[in-house]
């Protein structure tokens, strides 16, 4: 009986998590779900975005399924005030989730939903492997009356282990890795490049490795997205490039992610999109990225590959059948989208 910690979070979070649990229940009655307040919701109750108790429960669980955190209610520039995002960062660090996988694969049915021309995106199937527990996100922060700083630091080990994740992933795909850095300016990037090449030479001669500067990568992602296979990069660059890559699919409402740590430790599965406070409560949120995140949980977190593939296929078929939520230019509500996917799941 796998135990899954569920973190609905804020905004549309609870509205998309509930349908995902409904979906998972149709797959198996074996899952135990244990819900905890997280993000802004936890700040309101406990004064902190991630309580020790929630973190401890996550550590003991088989997987963590998170919807989204944040909202204007908790937005502040006061460095002393608790922020919902601290919960997310605390969870990533606390569970040692250094590898963030963000697949981007626009479905043919959605080619015309993308702001990019169909010819540009046809055939795109890429995976962003983002380093998730290092770099500027976690370096020392300082603030005085007249200045502020964020330290960007990487150890050789941190780069080495994420490089392995990227090369291993590429081996199961089209065997190409683009390592993205800013080695023409940053010392952390020069070390990144060196370490990635050492790992490549030692164990991955069968993989084609290219170095791409981050500004150029941002351009190439739009100019020729289909040429990319695996993109591996540091925390902040991965944050930015994965939002950019999301638009290739037409909507950030389509993208799932998995954050993984050491083998056997619980992973965290969440959509790439945020809590969309502007549409919260309207019933219009697109639950598909949440469903696809549940699929990634089934595959990477619970070892249930066939169930994962069934969910992904059901989402594909529902879209082929014309399902379009508002973000995809349609009218379907969250409830209708959920129905469509669960119906497809039953049709197998
Ligand atoms: C993401 C988000 C987070 C990040 C925020 C909410 C802290 O943008 O998962 O990409 O920057 O990592
Ligand atoms: Mg982001």
């Amino acid at each position: 009986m796998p135990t899954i910690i569920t973190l609905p979070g804020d905004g549309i979070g609870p509205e998309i998590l509930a349908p995902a649990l409904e979906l998972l229940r149709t797959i198996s009655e074996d899952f135990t779900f244990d819900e905890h307040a997280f993000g802004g919701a936890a700040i309101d109750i406990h004064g902190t975005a991630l309580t020790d108790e929630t973190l401890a429960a996550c550590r003991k669980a088989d997987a963590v399924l998170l919807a989204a955190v944040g909202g204007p209610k908790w937005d502040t520039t006061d460095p002393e005030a608790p922020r919902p995002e601290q919960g997310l960062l605390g969870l990533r660090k606390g569970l040692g989730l250094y590898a963030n996988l963000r697949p981007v694969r626009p479905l043919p049915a959605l080619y015309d939903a993308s702001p990019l021309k169909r010819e540009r995106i046809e055939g795109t199937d890429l995976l962003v492997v983002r380093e998730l527990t290092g770099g500027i996100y976690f370096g020392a922060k300082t603030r005085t009356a007249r200045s502020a700083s964020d330290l960007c630091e990487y150890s050789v080990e941190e780069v080495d282990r994420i490089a392995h994740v990227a090369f291993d992933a590429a081996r199961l795909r089209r065997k190409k890795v683009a390592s993205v850095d800013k080695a023409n300016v940053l010392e952390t990037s020069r070390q990144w490049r060196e370490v990635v090449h050492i790992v490549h030479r030692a164990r991955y001669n069968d993989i084609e490795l290219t170095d791409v500067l981050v500004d150029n990568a941002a351009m190439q992602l739009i100019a020729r997205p289909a040429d990319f296979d695996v993109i591996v990069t540091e925390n902040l660059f991965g944050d930015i490039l994965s939002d950019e890559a999301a638009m290739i699919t037409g909507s950030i409402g389509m993208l799932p992610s998995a954050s993984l740590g050491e083998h056997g430790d619980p992973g965290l599965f969440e959509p790439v999109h945020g809590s969309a406070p502007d549409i919260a409560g309207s019933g219009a949120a697109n639950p598909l990225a949440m469903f696809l995140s549940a699929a990634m949980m089934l595959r990477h977190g619970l070892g249930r590959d066939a169930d994962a593939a069934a969910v992904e296929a059901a989402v594909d078929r529902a879209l082929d059948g014309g399902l379009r939520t508002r973000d995809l230019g349609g009218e379907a509500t969250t409830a209708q989208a959920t129905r469509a996917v669960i119906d497809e799941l039953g049709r197998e």
Side-chain angles (χ1 to χ4, degrees), residues 102 130 137 239 242-243 272:
R102 298 186 162 181
R130 169 186 173 193
Y137 271 64
D239 178 46
S242 59
D243 266 32
V272 170

Coordinates of all heavy atoms in Angstrom, one line a residue, residues 102 130 137 239 242-243 272, ligand 2:
R102 N 11.8 17.8 -16.5 CA 10.6 18.5 -17.1 C 10.5 18.1 -18.6 O 11.1 18.8 -19.4 CB 10.8 20.0 -16.9 CG 10.8 20.3 -15.4 CD 10.8 21.8 -15.2 NE 10.4 22.1 -13.8 CZ 10.3 23.2 -13.2 NH1 10.5 24.3 -13.9 NH2 9.9 23.4 -11.9
R130 N 16.9 19.8 -14.8 CA 17.3 21.0 -14.1 C 17.9 20.6 -12.7 O 17.3 19.9 -12.0 CB 16.1 21.9 -13.9 CG 16.3 23.0 -12.9 CD 14.9 23.8 -12.7 NE 15.1 24.7 -11.7 CZ 14.1 25.4 -11.1 NH1 12.8 25.1 -11.4 NH2 14.3 26.2 -10.1
Y137 N 19.8 29.7 -5.9 CA 18.6 29.6 -5.1 C 19.0 29.3 -3.7 O 18.2 29.7 -2.8 CB 17.8 28.4 -5.6 CG 16.8 28.6 -6.7 CD1 17.2 29.1 -7.9 CD2 15.5 28.4 -6.5 CE1 16.3 29.4 -8.9 CE2 14.5 28.7 -7.5 CZ 15.0 29.2 -8.7 OH 14.0 29.4 -9.7
D239 N 15.1 26.9 -14.5 CA 13.8 27.5 -14.1 C 13.3 28.3 -15.3 O 12.2 28.2 -15.7 CB 14.0 28.4 -12.9 CG 12.7 29.1 -12.5 OD1 11.7 28.5 -12.4 OD2 12.8 30.4 -12.3
S242 N 12.8 26.2 -18.7 CA 11.7 25.3 -18.7 C 10.3 26.0 -18.9 O 9.4 25.5 -19.5 CB 11.6 24.4 -17.5 OG 11.6 25.1 -16.3
D243 N 10.2 27.3 -18.4 CA 9.0 28.0 -18.7 C 8.9 28.4 -20.2 O 7.9 28.3 -20.8 CB 9.0 29.4 -17.9 CG 8.2 29.2 -16.6 OD1 8.2 28.1 -16.0 OD2 7.6 30.2 -16.1
V272 N 4.4 22.1 -13.7 CA 5.4 23.2 -13.8 C 4.7 24.5 -13.5 O 5.3 25.5 -13.0 CB 6.1 23.2 -15.2 CG1 6.9 24.4 -15.4 CG2 7.0 22.0 -15.3
Ligands
LIG2 MG1 9.7 28.2 -12.5

